[in-house]
Amino acid sequence: MKSVFQQLPESVLTQILENAFQWFVVVDKECRILYINEDYCRFLEVPRDKAIGQPVDQVIENTQMHEVVKSGKAHVASPHYIKGTYMLANRVPLIVDGEIVGAFGSVVFRDMTDWKKLSSHVRTTMDKITMNSNESNQRSYRLEDIKGSSQAIRSIKETIQMIAPSDLSVLVEGESGTGKELFAQSIHERSERSDLPFVKINCAAIPSELLEAEIFGSFSESKNQYRKGRFEQADNGTLFIDEIGAMPLTIQAKLLRAIQEGEIEPLGAQQNIRVNVRILAATNKPLETLIEQGKFREDLYYRIQAITLRIPPLRERMEDFTELANTFLQQYILKAGKRRLVLASQTRDYLQAYHWPGNVRELQNVIQAAVYLADNETIEPSALPDTLKQHRANQFNESNNLQDAIEQLERSMIQEALGIEDDKKVVAKRLGLSRSTLYEKIKKYNL
């Protein structure tokens, strides 16, 4: 390294020093300025020839260079208040043969606003990287991860066990938040392709002008660069197309050809590529309605729905509520590092009386927030969102008399007991009812 610098002319070394950093200064062990760049001097409004040789504290206000020389410890990204603004500075000791001979200081950011902008940009970039990393290394859901013992869920699980080993296309229908991806991954995990890629794409999350290249890949002739699409990434595995109803008609036609012929046509490519992919699709809107509106191809619909799984909304499977709530509660108790936490009976009543427009995902988010907001070992209604508490208040306001309120409570208690215990004899005993009375109330409340 020494020989390299010896070969450089002094003028070149000066250019390097002047431009390597925005502002910088070098001091000796007496903290007198040995070198300071011209740009820094202009900011300080001090001629360079007068600054050099002066004690650094007489030239740079609030300097801490003497502390670095004295302690031998570097200051990294240290705030420095100078001329009415905060800057970020690095200061490092200069050591020769184990002895401190001076220090070097440089301004990293001349304004904290610049730092905040960069910090925000870095955080955003890192969030995207983390999100992409998490997506590519996402957890694989299994059939056992589907919680619930209602008739509807048991029937769906049985269907998945039967169809998973095949290569049949499957359409998963359900409102937002019902867990359609979980069901799709469960099919993949039970299939012969379970050790091969499970690739997903959300048609509603990608601009339509980019969606075709994202699905089928693209070739740039000017750059001589080829980029694989999701179809090719999923080769020999499973492609999960979420929100397929949002796919433009032109791309629907290309998807239909890809499914029928087993090959894709990347944008800009001169030849087609053979692929072997199982298609799983999901929609939160009935595709039959979109067909009637001319927004979805009927021939594609019949291609992708060899089997259709209809995932019921949470409000139609409230017998699964207790198991779901308890699962999420235990999950977030562990994450929060809390030893023990239970739902107060009134809190559980609030949750069970709610209509859950956001379905299982909304329940999961509410439980997660409540765990962190709980003050002690019991989650009280105060930890719930205002929407749930207002809904509960409206229910009581709509009750005409005490009998209505009693029936609401009775229905809630029976529903919760049935969610915990299947044996009706045991449930009746716990509730202090005869079995015949229990069956009458189950019929009355349509449980």
Side-chain angles (χ1 to χ4, degrees):
M1 180 65 73
K2 184 178 179 181
S3 61
V4 171
F5 284 114
Q6 288 175 341
Q7 294 173 26
L8 293 175
E10 184 177 341
S11 60
V12 173
L13 289 173
T14 301
Q15 290 180 53
I16 293 172
L17 286 172
E18 290 294 316
N19 296 289
F21 301 92
Q22 290 183 332
W23 298 335
F24 77 95
V25 62
V26 181
V27 301
D28 61 18
K29 63 181 180 180
E30 304 298 332
C31 290
R32 293 183 178 275
I33 297 175
L34 293 175
Y35 192 98
I36 184 169
N37 69 329
E38 188 64 44
D39 200 17
Y40 203 177
C41 287
R42 278 196 293 269
F43 170 74
L44 296 170
E45 298 178 339
V46 177
R48 182 153 63 167
D49 58 351
K50 290 187 177 180
I52 292 176
Q54 292 293 317
V56 68
D57 59 355
Q58 293 184 18
V59 177
I60 303 173
E61 63 176 307
N62 299 317
T63 184
Q64 297 177 34
M65 295 290 281
H66 56 285
E67 293 183 12
V68 175
V69 172
K70 182 178 179 180
S71 67
K73 294 181 180 179
H75 295 181
V76 178
S78 175
H80 184 182
Y81 188 74
I82 182 170
K83 295 187 73 171
T85 186
Y86 274 102
M87 304 176 181
L88 281 184
N90 287 339
R91 308 179 190 92
V92 295
L94 300 176
I95 301 173
V96 176
D97 297 329
E99 180 184 351
I100 298 173
V101 297
F104 170 85
S106 63
V107 174
V108 185
F109 289 99
R110 292 183 289 190
D111 191 319
M112 289 295 285
T113 305
D114 291 339
W115 161 248
K116 289 174 183 176
K117 287 179 181 177
L118 180 64
S119 179
S120 175
H121 173 71
V122 170
R123 283 198 302 270
T124 302
T125 303
M126 290 305 297
D127 286 345
K128 289 180 180 178
I129 292 171
T130 302
M131 182 177 65
N132 292 336
S133 176
N134 288 342
E135 185 171 314
S136 61
N137 298 295
Q138 62 188 340
R139 178 189 173 192
S140 296
Y141 292 104
R142 301 171 301 160
L143 194 64
E144 294 76 13
D145 294 319
I146 300 174
K147 302 302 178 183
S149 54
S150 61
Q151 179 56 46
I153 295 301
R154 287 202 304 267
S155 177
I156 292 172
K157 286 183 176 181
E158 289 170 3
T159 302
I160 289 176
Q161 287 178 314
M162 288 188 289
I163 65 172
S166 72
D167 274 342
L168 289 170
S169 297
V170 181
L171 177 64
V172 185
E173 292 183 348
E175 296 178 6
S176 293
T178 50
K180 296 184 290 295
E181 184 181 341
L182 187 154
F183 290 89
Q185 281 208 24
S186 298
I187 295 170
H188 174 73
E189 287 300 311
R190 288 277 175 136
S191 75
E192 300 297 325
R193 301 171 183 255
S194 60
D195 293 331
L196 296 162
F198 176 88
V199 178
K200 65 176 181 176
I201 185 167
N202 188 318
C203 298
I206 299 174
S208 56
E209 62 271 17
L210 303 177
L211 187 58
E212 184 176 356
E214 196 66 36
I215 295 175
F216 301 104
S218 61
F219 177 75
S220 173
E221 189 171 351
S222 60
K223 297 180 181 178
N224 194 28
Q225 187 177 33
Y226 176 67
R227 182 172 176 269
K228 285 185 179 182
R230 304 293 175 92
F231 239 107
E232 200 172 351
Q233 291 172 23
D235 194 22
N236 294 315
T238 302
L239 177 62
F240 174 53
I241 307 175
D242 199 3
E243 303 298 351
I244 194 170
M247 182 182 288
L249 285 167
T250 52
I251 303 180
Q252 290 178 31
K254 196 165 181 177
L255 174 62
L256 178 62
R257 288 197 303 273
I259 296 173
Q260 287 176 334
E261 299 168 13
E263 59 182 31
I264 57 171
E265 182 184 349
L267 280 175
Q270 299 299 316
Q271 60 183 20
N272 294 350
I273 298 174
R274 297 290 300 175
V275 288
N276 175 13
V277 173
R278 183 183 190 176
I279 300 293
L280 304 179
T283 178
N284 62 4
K285 298 177 181 177
L287 294 185
E288 296 94 330
T289 303
L290 295 179
I291 291 171
E292 291 173 3
Q293 297 172 351
K295 297 179 179 178
F296 201 85
R297 293 180 62 107
E298 189 172 10
D299 47 4
L300 176 59
Y301 171 69
Y302 290 118
R303 270 286 178 178
I304 62 174
Q305 60 85 257
I307 298 292
T308 298
L309 298 180
R310 290 184 173 86
I311 315 303
L314 180 55
R315 62 184 174 275
E316 293 180 9
R317 49 177 287 214
M318 285 301 289
E319 57 264 52
D320 295 330
F321 171 84
T322 299
E323 182 179 354
L324 288 166
N326 290 341
T327 298
F328 295 142
L329 185 61
Q330 295 306 313
Q331 175 184 339
Y332 291 114
I333 285 173
L334 289 174
K335 275 193 174 182
K338 298 191 175 184
R339 294 199 309 176
R340 184 176 180 274
L341 207 57
V342 295
L343 292 170
S345 58
Q346 189 179 10
T347 305
R348 197 174 286 273
D349 289 343
Y350 274 49
L351 295 173
Q352 290 183 321
Y354 188 55
H355 58 293
W356 297 108
N359 293 296
V360 177
R361 185 189 298 134
E362 185 181 12
L363 172 62
Q364 183 176 6
N365 292 338
V366 166
I367 296 289
Q368 180 181 15
V371 166
Y372 285 95
L373 292 172
D375 289 331
N376 46 47
E377 293 187 348
T378 303
I379 298 176
E380 301 293 345
S382 58
L384 298 178
D386 290 339
T387 50
L388 267 78
K389 289 181 280 192
Q390 186 59 50
H391 178 78
R392 184 65 169 171
N394 292 340
Q395 280 191 317
F396 279 109
N397 290 336
E398 291 168 2
S399 296
N400 295 323
N401 51 47
L402 181 61
Q403 183 60 35
D404 290 339
I406 292 173
E407 288 185 354
Q408 285 183 18
L409 179 59
E410 186 176 62
R411 183 187 190 282
S412 176
M413 290 181 66
I414 294 173
Q415 186 175 45
E416 182 176 355
L418 291 172
I420 298 173
E421 177 60 59
D422 290 331
D423 191 329
K424 304 293 191 301
K425 182 179 179 181
V426 175
V427 172
K429 185 176 181 180
R430 286 180 179 175
L431 294 173
L433 302 172
S434 66
R435 268 193 293 175
S436 58
T437 301
L438 175 62
Y439 280 111
E440 287 174 8
K441 293 186 181 295
I442 289 174
K443 185 176 180 181
K444 175 184 177 180
Y445 297 126
N446 194 28
L447 297 175

Short mmCIF file of all heavy atoms in Angstrom, two decimals, residues 176-222:
data_model
loop_
_atom_site.label_atom_id
_atom_site.label_comp_id
_atom_site.label_asym_id
_atom_site.label_seq_id
_atom_site.Cartn_x
_atom_site.Cartn_y
_atom_site.Cartn_z
N SER A 176 -62.39 -12.50 1.94
CA SER A 176 -61.05 -12.10 2.40
C SER A 176 -60.89 -12.43 3.88
O SER A 176 -61.79 -12.17 4.68
CB SER A 176 -60.85 -10.60 2.19
OG SER A 176 -60.83 -10.29 0.82
N GLY A 177 -59.74 -13.01 4.22
CA GLY A 177 -59.45 -13.32 5.61
C GLY A 177 -59.88 -14.70 6.05
O GLY A 177 -59.70 -15.05 7.22
N THR A 178 -60.42 -15.50 5.15
CA THR A 178 -60.86 -16.85 5.54
C THR A 178 -59.72 -17.87 5.52
O THR A 178 -59.90 -18.99 5.99
CB THR A 178 -62.00 -17.35 4.62
OG1 THR A 178 -61.61 -17.17 3.25
CG2 THR A 178 -63.29 -16.59 4.88
N GLY A 179 -58.57 -17.48 4.98
CA GLY A 179 -57.41 -18.38 4.99
C GLY A 179 -57.29 -19.24 3.76
O GLY A 179 -56.88 -20.40 3.84
N LYS A 180 -57.61 -18.69 2.60
CA LYS A 180 -57.60 -19.48 1.36
C LYS A 180 -56.21 -20.02 1.04
O LYS A 180 -56.07 -21.15 0.57
CB LYS A 180 -58.13 -18.63 0.20
CG LYS A 180 -59.58 -18.21 0.37
CD LYS A 180 -60.11 -17.45 -0.83
CE LYS A 180 -59.52 -16.08 -0.97
NZ LYS A 180 -59.90 -15.18 0.15
N GLU A 181 -55.17 -19.22 1.31
CA GLU A 181 -53.81 -19.69 1.03
C GLU A 181 -53.44 -20.88 1.91
O GLU A 181 -52.74 -21.80 1.47
CB GLU A 181 -52.80 -18.56 1.22
CG GLU A 181 -51.38 -18.99 0.85
CD GLU A 181 -50.35 -17.89 1.04
OE1 GLU A 181 -50.74 -16.71 1.12
OE2 GLU A 181 -49.15 -18.22 1.14
N LEU A 182 -53.90 -20.86 3.15
CA LEU A 182 -53.63 -21.98 4.06
C LEU A 182 -54.18 -23.29 3.48
O LEU A 182 -53.51 -24.32 3.49
CB LEU A 182 -54.25 -21.68 5.42
CG LEU A 182 -53.94 -22.63 6.59
CD1 LEU A 182 -54.08 -21.89 7.91
CD2 LEU A 182 -54.84 -23.85 6.61
N PHE A 183 -55.39 -23.23 2.95
CA PHE A 183 -56.00 -24.42 2.35
C PHE A 183 -55.25 -24.85 1.10
O PHE A 183 -55.04 -26.04 0.87
CB PHE A 183 -57.47 -24.15 2.03
CG PHE A 183 -58.35 -24.03 3.25
CD1 PHE A 183 -58.54 -22.82 3.88
CD2 PHE A 183 -58.97 -25.16 3.79
CE1 PHE A 183 -59.32 -22.70 5.02
CE2 PHE A 183 -59.76 -25.05 4.93
CZ PHE A 183 -59.94 -23.82 5.55
N ALA A 184 -54.81 -23.86 0.29
CA ALA A 184 -54.06 -24.19 -0.92
C ALA A 184 -52.74 -24.85 -0.58
O ALA A 184 -52.35 -25.86 -1.20
CB ALA A 184 -53.83 -22.91 -1.74
N GLN A 185 -52.02 -24.31 0.41
CA GLN A 185 -50.75 -24.92 0.80
C GLN A 185 -50.95 -26.32 1.38
O GLN A 185 -50.10 -27.19 1.19
CB GLN A 185 -50.04 -24.03 1.82
CG GLN A 185 -49.33 -22.85 1.20
CD GLN A 185 -48.14 -22.40 2.03
OE1 GLN A 185 -47.57 -23.16 2.79
NE2 GLN A 185 -47.75 -21.15 1.86
N SER A 186 -52.06 -26.52 2.06
CA SER A 186 -52.34 -27.85 2.61
C SER A 186 -52.50 -28.87 1.51
O SER A 186 -52.07 -30.02 1.65
CB SER A 186 -53.63 -27.79 3.46
OG SER A 186 -53.47 -26.91 4.54
N ILE A 187 -53.10 -28.45 0.40
CA ILE A 187 -53.23 -29.35 -0.76
C ILE A 187 -51.85 -29.69 -1.30
O ILE A 187 -51.54 -30.86 -1.57
CB ILE A 187 -54.10 -28.69 -1.85
CG1 ILE A 187 -55.53 -28.50 -1.36
CG2 ILE A 187 -54.07 -29.53 -3.13
CD1 ILE A 187 -56.39 -27.66 -2.27
N HIS A 188 -51.01 -28.67 -1.45
CA HIS A 188 -49.66 -28.90 -1.97
C HIS A 188 -48.86 -29.83 -1.06
O HIS A 188 -48.16 -30.74 -1.53
CB HIS A 188 -48.93 -27.56 -2.11
CG HIS A 188 -47.50 -27.68 -2.50
ND1 HIS A 188 -47.09 -28.04 -3.77
CD2 HIS A 188 -46.36 -27.50 -1.77
CE1 HIS A 188 -45.77 -28.07 -3.81
NE2 HIS A 188 -45.30 -27.74 -2.61
N GLU A 189 -48.95 -29.61 0.25
CA GLU A 189 -48.19 -30.42 1.20
C GLU A 189 -48.64 -31.87 1.23
O GLU A 189 -47.85 -32.75 1.60
CB GLU A 189 -48.31 -29.81 2.61
CG GLU A 189 -47.52 -28.53 2.81
CD GLU A 189 -46.04 -28.73 2.59
OE1 GLU A 189 -45.47 -29.67 3.16
OE2 GLU A 189 -45.44 -27.93 1.85
N ARG A 190 -49.87 -32.14 0.83
CA ARG A 190 -50.37 -33.52 0.78
C ARG A 190 -50.20 -34.15 -0.59
O ARG A 190 -50.57 -35.31 -0.80
CB ARG A 190 -51.85 -33.54 1.17
CG ARG A 190 -52.13 -33.30 2.66
CD ARG A 190 -51.95 -34.57 3.43
NE ARG A 190 -52.09 -34.39 4.86
CZ ARG A 190 -52.77 -35.20 5.65
NH1 ARG A 190 -53.40 -36.24 5.14
NH2 ARG A 190 -52.82 -34.99 6.95
N SER A 191 -49.66 -33.40 -1.54
CA SER A 191 -49.55 -33.89 -2.91
C SER A 191 -48.21 -34.57 -3.17
O SER A 191 -47.32 -34.55 -2.31
CB SER A 191 -49.71 -32.73 -3.89
OG SER A 191 -48.54 -31.93 -3.91
N GLU A 192 -48.09 -35.16 -4.36
CA GLU A 192 -46.83 -35.79 -4.77
C GLU A 192 -45.76 -34.74 -5.08
O GLU A 192 -44.60 -35.06 -5.28
CB GLU A 192 -47.06 -36.66 -6.02
CG GLU A 192 -48.07 -37.79 -5.83
CD GLU A 192 -47.61 -38.81 -4.78
OE1 GLU A 192 -46.39 -39.05 -4.71
OE2 GLU A 192 -48.46 -39.33 -4.05
N ARG A 193 -46.18 -33.47 -5.13
CA ARG A 193 -45.27 -32.38 -5.47
C ARG A 193 -44.78 -31.63 -4.22
O ARG A 193 -44.20 -30.55 -4.32
CB ARG A 193 -45.96 -31.38 -6.41
CG ARG A 193 -46.45 -31.98 -7.71
CD ARG A 193 -47.32 -30.98 -8.47
NE ARG A 193 -47.86 -31.56 -9.70
CZ ARG A 193 -47.42 -31.27 -10.93
NH1 ARG A 193 -46.45 -30.40 -11.09
NH2 ARG A 193 -47.97 -31.84 -11.99
N SER A 194 -45.01 -32.18 -3.05
CA SER A 194 -44.75 -31.45 -1.80
C SER A 194 -43.29 -31.05 -1.63
O SER A 194 -42.99 -30.06 -0.96
CB SER A 194 -45.21 -32.29 -0.60
OG SER A 194 -44.51 -33.53 -0.57
N ASP A 195 -42.36 -31.80 -2.23
CA ASP A 195 -40.94 -31.46 -2.11
C ASP A 195 -40.48 -30.49 -3.19
O ASP A 195 -39.30 -30.12 -3.23
CB ASP A 195 -40.08 -32.73 -2.18
CG ASP A 195 -40.29 -33.64 -0.97
OD1 ASP A 195 -40.62 -33.10 0.11
OD2 ASP A 195 -40.15 -34.86 -1.11
N LEU A 196 -41.40 -30.09 -4.04
CA LEU A 196 -41.10 -29.20 -5.15
C LEU A 196 -41.71 -27.83 -4.88
O LEU A 196 -42.45 -27.66 -3.91
CB LEU A 196 -41.62 -29.82 -6.45
CG LEU A 196 -40.91 -31.16 -6.79
CD1 LEU A 196 -41.71 -31.97 -7.79
CD2 LEU A 196 -39.51 -30.88 -7.29
N PRO A 197 -41.43 -26.82 -5.72
CA PRO A 197 -41.83 -25.44 -5.37
C PRO A 197 -43.34 -25.24 -5.23
O PRO A 197 -44.13 -25.80 -5.98
CB PRO A 197 -41.28 -24.62 -6.54
CG PRO A 197 -40.20 -25.44 -7.13
CD PRO A 197 -40.62 -26.86 -6.95
N PHE A 198 -43.69 -24.42 -4.24
CA PHE A 198 -45.04 -23.86 -4.13
C PHE A 198 -44.87 -22.37 -4.36
O PHE A 198 -44.31 -21.66 -3.53
CB PHE A 198 -45.64 -24.13 -2.74
CG PHE A 198 -47.00 -23.48 -2.54
CD1 PHE A 198 -48.16 -24.16 -2.90
CD2 PHE A 198 -47.12 -22.22 -2.00
CE1 PHE A 198 -49.41 -23.58 -2.71
CE2 PHE A 198 -48.35 -21.62 -1.80
CZ PHE A 198 -49.50 -22.31 -2.16
N VAL A 199 -45.30 -21.90 -5.51
CA VAL A 199 -45.10 -20.50 -5.91
C VAL A 199 -46.45 -19.81 -5.96
O VAL A 199 -47.41 -20.36 -6.51
CB VAL A 199 -44.41 -20.42 -7.28
CG1 VAL A 199 -44.24 -18.97 -7.71
CG2 VAL A 199 -43.06 -21.13 -7.24
N LYS A 200 -46.52 -18.62 -5.40
CA LYS A 200 -47.80 -17.91 -5.39
C LYS A 200 -47.67 -16.56 -6.08
O LYS A 200 -46.59 -15.98 -6.15
CB LYS A 200 -48.30 -17.72 -3.97
CG LYS A 200 -47.44 -16.83 -3.10
CD LYS A 200 -48.07 -16.63 -1.73
CE LYS A 200 -47.22 -15.70 -0.87
NZ LYS A 200 -47.83 -15.41 0.43
N ILE A 201 -48.80 -16.09 -6.57
CA ILE A 201 -48.88 -14.76 -7.15
C ILE A 201 -50.26 -14.20 -6.86
O ILE A 201 -51.26 -14.92 -6.97
CB ILE A 201 -48.58 -14.76 -8.67
CG1 ILE A 201 -48.56 -13.33 -9.21
CG2 ILE A 201 -49.59 -15.62 -9.43
CD1 ILE A 201 -47.97 -13.21 -10.59
N ASN A 202 -50.32 -12.94 -6.45
CA ASN A 202 -51.58 -12.28 -6.16
C ASN A 202 -51.89 -11.31 -7.30
O ASN A 202 -51.21 -10.29 -7.46
CB ASN A 202 -51.50 -11.53 -4.83
CG ASN A 202 -52.85 -10.99 -4.39
OD1 ASN A 202 -53.62 -10.47 -5.18
ND2 ASN A 202 -53.14 -11.12 -3.10
N CYS A 203 -52.90 -11.63 -8.09
CA CYS A 203 -53.21 -10.83 -9.28
C CYS A 203 -53.68 -9.42 -8.93
O CYS A 203 -53.54 -8.50 -9.73
CB CYS A 203 -54.28 -11.53 -10.12
SG CYS A 203 -53.78 -13.14 -10.75
N ALA A 204 -54.24 -9.26 -7.73
CA ALA A 204 -54.73 -7.93 -7.33
C ALA A 204 -53.62 -7.04 -6.81
O ALA A 204 -53.80 -5.83 -6.71
CB ALA A 204 -55.82 -8.08 -6.26
N ALA A 205 -52.47 -7.62 -6.49
CA ALA A 205 -51.38 -6.85 -5.88
C ALA A 205 -50.36 -6.36 -6.89
O ALA A 205 -49.45 -5.60 -6.54
CB ALA A 205 -50.68 -7.69 -4.82
N ILE A 206 -50.47 -6.78 -8.16
CA ILE A 206 -49.49 -6.43 -9.18
C ILE A 206 -50.18 -5.64 -10.27
O ILE A 206 -51.25 -6.05 -10.76
CB ILE A 206 -48.84 -7.70 -9.77
CG1 ILE A 206 -48.11 -8.47 -8.65
CG2 ILE A 206 -47.86 -7.35 -10.89
CD1 ILE A 206 -47.57 -9.81 -9.10
N PRO A 207 -49.64 -4.49 -10.68
CA PRO A 207 -50.26 -3.70 -11.76
C PRO A 207 -50.48 -4.55 -13.00
O PRO A 207 -49.64 -5.39 -13.34
CB PRO A 207 -49.23 -2.58 -12.01
CG PRO A 207 -48.47 -2.47 -10.73
CD PRO A 207 -48.42 -3.85 -10.15
N SER A 208 -51.61 -4.35 -13.66
CA SER A 208 -51.98 -5.19 -14.80
C SER A 208 -50.93 -5.18 -15.90
O SER A 208 -50.70 -6.19 -16.57
CB SER A 208 -53.33 -4.74 -15.36
OG SER A 208 -53.29 -3.36 -15.72
N GLU A 209 -50.25 -4.01 -16.08
CA GLU A 209 -49.25 -3.93 -17.16
C GLU A 209 -47.99 -4.73 -16.84
O GLU A 209 -47.18 -5.00 -17.74
CB GLU A 209 -48.87 -2.47 -17.43
CG GLU A 209 -48.22 -1.73 -16.27
CD GLU A 209 -49.23 -1.05 -15.35
OE1 GLU A 209 -50.42 -1.41 -15.41
OE2 GLU A 209 -48.81 -0.17 -14.58
N LEU A 210 -47.81 -5.13 -15.58
CA LEU A 210 -46.64 -5.93 -15.19
C LEU A 210 -46.99 -7.39 -14.95
O LEU A 210 -46.10 -8.23 -14.85
CB LEU A 210 -46.01 -5.36 -13.92
CG LEU A 210 -45.56 -3.89 -13.95
CD1 LEU A 210 -45.03 -3.49 -12.58
CD2 LEU A 210 -44.52 -3.67 -15.02
N LEU A 211 -48.28 -7.68 -14.87
CA LEU A 211 -48.71 -9.01 -14.44
C LEU A 211 -48.33 -10.10 -15.43
O LEU A 211 -47.89 -11.19 -15.03
CB LEU A 211 -50.23 -9.01 -14.23
CG LEU A 211 -50.84 -10.27 -13.62
CD1 LEU A 211 -50.22 -10.58 -12.26
CD2 LEU A 211 -52.36 -10.13 -13.49
N GLU A 212 -48.45 -9.82 -16.72
CA GLU A 212 -48.15 -10.85 -17.73
C GLU A 212 -46.70 -11.30 -17.64
O GLU A 212 -46.40 -12.50 -17.63
CB GLU A 212 -48.45 -10.32 -19.14
CG GLU A 212 -48.24 -11.37 -20.23
CD GLU A 212 -48.64 -10.89 -21.61
OE1 GLU A 212 -49.16 -9.76 -21.72
OE2 GLU A 212 -48.43 -11.64 -22.58
N ALA A 213 -45.78 -10.34 -17.55
CA ALA A 213 -44.36 -10.69 -17.44
C ALA A 213 -44.07 -11.41 -16.13
O ALA A 213 -43.24 -12.31 -16.06
CB ALA A 213 -43.50 -9.43 -17.55
N GLU A 214 -44.78 -11.02 -15.08
CA GLU A 214 -44.58 -11.64 -13.77
C GLU A 214 -45.00 -13.11 -13.78
O GLU A 214 -44.38 -13.95 -13.16
CB GLU A 214 -45.36 -10.87 -12.70
CG GLU A 214 -44.95 -11.16 -11.29
CD GLU A 214 -43.54 -10.69 -10.97
OE1 GLU A 214 -43.10 -9.64 -11.47
OE2 GLU A 214 -42.86 -11.41 -10.21
N ILE A 215 -46.07 -13.41 -14.53
CA ILE A 215 -46.57 -14.78 -14.57
C ILE A 215 -45.77 -15.63 -15.56
O ILE A 215 -45.34 -16.75 -15.24
CB ILE A 215 -48.07 -14.80 -14.95
CG1 ILE A 215 -48.90 -14.15 -13.85
CG2 ILE A 215 -48.54 -16.25 -15.16
CD1 ILE A 215 -50.37 -14.02 -14.20
N PHE A 216 -45.56 -15.09 -16.78
CA PHE A 216 -45.00 -15.91 -17.85
C PHE A 216 -43.52 -15.67 -18.12
O PHE A 216 -42.91 -16.40 -18.89
CB PHE A 216 -45.79 -15.68 -19.14
CG PHE A 216 -47.26 -16.02 -19.01
CD1 PHE A 216 -48.20 -15.03 -18.90
CD2 PHE A 216 -47.67 -17.35 -18.96
CE1 PHE A 216 -49.55 -15.33 -18.77
CE2 PHE A 216 -49.01 -17.66 -18.81
CZ PHE A 216 -49.96 -16.65 -18.72
N GLY A 217 -42.93 -14.64 -17.49
CA GLY A 217 -41.54 -14.34 -17.75
C GLY A 217 -41.37 -13.36 -18.90
O GLY A 217 -42.33 -13.05 -19.62
N SER A 218 -40.15 -12.88 -19.09
CA SER A 218 -39.91 -11.90 -20.15
C SER A 218 -38.46 -11.98 -20.62
O SER A 218 -37.56 -12.37 -19.87
CB SER A 218 -40.22 -10.49 -19.66
OG SER A 218 -39.39 -10.14 -18.56
N PHE A 219 -38.28 -11.58 -21.89
CA PHE A 219 -36.93 -11.53 -22.47
C PHE A 219 -36.68 -10.14 -23.02
O PHE A 219 -37.49 -9.62 -23.79
CB PHE A 219 -36.77 -12.56 -23.58
CG PHE A 219 -35.42 -12.50 -24.26
CD1 PHE A 219 -34.29 -13.00 -23.63
CD2 PHE A 219 -35.30 -11.92 -25.52
CE1 PHE A 219 -33.05 -12.92 -24.25
CE2 PHE A 219 -34.06 -11.84 -26.14
CZ PHE A 219 -32.93 -12.35 -25.50
N SER A 220 -35.58 -9.51 -22.58
CA SER A 220 -35.20 -8.19 -23.08
C SER A 220 -34.10 -8.36 -24.12
O SER A 220 -32.98 -8.76 -23.79
CB SER A 220 -34.71 -7.30 -21.93
OG SER A 220 -34.20 -6.09 -22.43
N GLU A 221 -34.44 -8.06 -25.38
CA GLU A 221 -33.46 -8.24 -26.45
C GLU A 221 -32.33 -7.23 -26.33
O GLU A 221 -31.17 -7.56 -26.58
CB GLU A 221 -34.16 -8.09 -27.80
CG GLU A 221 -33.28 -8.48 -28.97
CD GLU A 221 -34.05 -8.52 -30.28
OE1 GLU A 221 -35.29 -8.41 -30.25
OE2 GLU A 221 -33.40 -8.66 -31.33
N SER A 222 -32.65 -6.01 -25.92
CA SER A 222 -31.62 -4.97 -25.82
C SER A 222 -30.58 -5.31 -24.76
O SER A 222 -29.40 -5.04 -24.90
CB SER A 222 -32.27 -3.61 -25.50
OG SER A 222 -32.97 -3.68 -24.27
#
